[in-house]
Amino acid sequence: MGKKEGFFLNRLRAHVRVQPPTTTSHHSCSQEPPNAPAETKGRRIIVVVDSCSESKNALLWTLSHCAQPQDSILLLHFLKAKPSPSGAIATGEEETCDKHTTSKAYQKVSTLRNICELKRPEVKTEMVVVQGEEKGPTIVKEAREHGASLLVLGQKKQHATWRLLMLWASQARPLTKTDTVEYCINNAPCMAIAVRKRGKKVGGYTLTTKRHKDFWLLA
């Protein structure tokens, strides 16, 4: 293992759940019990979720590799804010539409929350639906306001041809929807990890952070 891979794993271990070895106590009943360990303050882990399978895979990776019992998970769902006509006041119909959209979003997130409570009932899970003009900046803002220790995002596999097309498109529009993951990784106030599940034949996950791109974690 090279120095770069070793450095990356050392940083990642601070966010990966490690099961401590079980020990058997040999103290007799007459002995006083050992002092209780100090309560460890948990981390706030934000997982960006939507209706895509990539976000669900990122959440499952978080539950199996990152979340510890004292941690809390915040499921963050983004909605694109609907622009109103210039100088116009939102009508009752527009407000109802927004409430309906938000309600449907909460229903989707609730399904993922049920998965969290089923797989890791000891980990506190919350959910929030936010609206904004741009997804990346809104996610970074929420991570900062909620004091996130770790930000996890699902990432789609992009073929070389698609990456070249988006590179060409980025010259015309500096910020696009496809830049969301990269924007969050580069601007988040905490460590941000993009997670992509590999195929069944290969297995494991591909992780991308600010310092490392497409790091293969066989797990």
Side-chain angles (χ1 to χ4, degrees):
M1 180 182 294
K3 293 183 179 179
K4 292 184 178 180
E5 288 78 4
F7 175 78
F8 175 71
L9 288 177
N10 287 334
R11 290 201 64 198
L12 191 60
R13 285 192 185 100
H15 300 280
V16 173
R17 179 168 60 89
V18 179
Q19 294 287 356
T22 57
T23 57
T24 304
S25 175
H26 298 284
H27 293 285
S28 63
C29 295
S30 60
Q31 291 178 317
E32 295 182 359
N35 295 330
E39 184 178 355
T40 304
K41 184 179 180 181
R43 303 166 301 166
R44 172 59 65 92
I45 303 175
I46 293 183
V47 183
V48 180
V49 296
D50 51 35
S51 57
C52 298
S53 60
E54 288 79 12
S55 67
K56 182 178 179 180
N57 292 333
L59 175 60
L60 294 176
W61 178 86
T62 303
L63 294 173
S64 60
H65 291 74
C66 288
Q68 301 183 28
Q70 68 273 16
D71 295 337
S72 63
I73 295 178
L74 177 64
L75 305 179
L76 176 64
H77 184 90
F78 171 83
L79 288 178
K80 180 75 172 180
K82 296 183 179 180
S84 300
S86 178
I89 300 176
T91 62
E93 182 179 359
E94 291 175 340
E95 293 179 356
T96 303
C97 180
D98 288 342
K99 290 180 180 179
H100 178 67
T101 303
T102 303
S103 177
K104 290 181 62 177
Y106 269 108
Q107 292 178 5
K108 295 177 182 179
V109 182
S110 295
T111 303
L112 298 176
R113 182 180 183 179
N114 292 337
I115 294 177
C116 296
E117 294 177 345
L118 179 64
K119 291 183 174 295
R120 299 295 305 279
E122 76 281 8
V123 178
K124 181 180 179 181
T125 305
E126 302 171 293
M127 57 184 186
V128 63
V129 176
V130 296
Q131 293 187 4
E133 295 181 359
E134 298 291 346
K135 188 173 183 178
T138 302
I139 292 174
V140 171
K141 178 184 177 183
E142 292 294 320
R144 183 177 294 107
E145 292 182 352
H146 285 90
S149 303
L150 180 66
L151 178 63
V152 183
L153 307 98
Q155 187 175 38
K156 296 182 179 181
K157 181 179 180 180
Q158 295 181 352
H159 297 284
T161 303
W162 176 258
R163 288 197 296 267
L164 289 175
L165 288 175
M166 297 317 303
L167 180 62
W168 173 80
S170 64
Q171 297 177 0
R173 291 193 300 173
L175 184 62
T176 63
K177 292 183 179 180
T178 55
D179 296 320
T180 298
V181 173
E182 183 178 356
Y183 180 91
C184 292
I185 289 177
N186 292 325
N187 296 276
C190 58
M191 183 177 185
I193 302 179
V195 180
R196 177 169 61 85
K197 187 176 182 180
R198 298 179 68 91
K200 295 182 179 180
K201 293 183 179 180
V202 180
Y205 295 86
T206 297
L207 310 180
T208 298
T209 65
K210 193 172 185 178
R211 293 179 176 270
H212 292 80
K213 184 177 179 63
D214 294 337
F215 184 88
W216 182 28
L217 179 65
L218 182 60

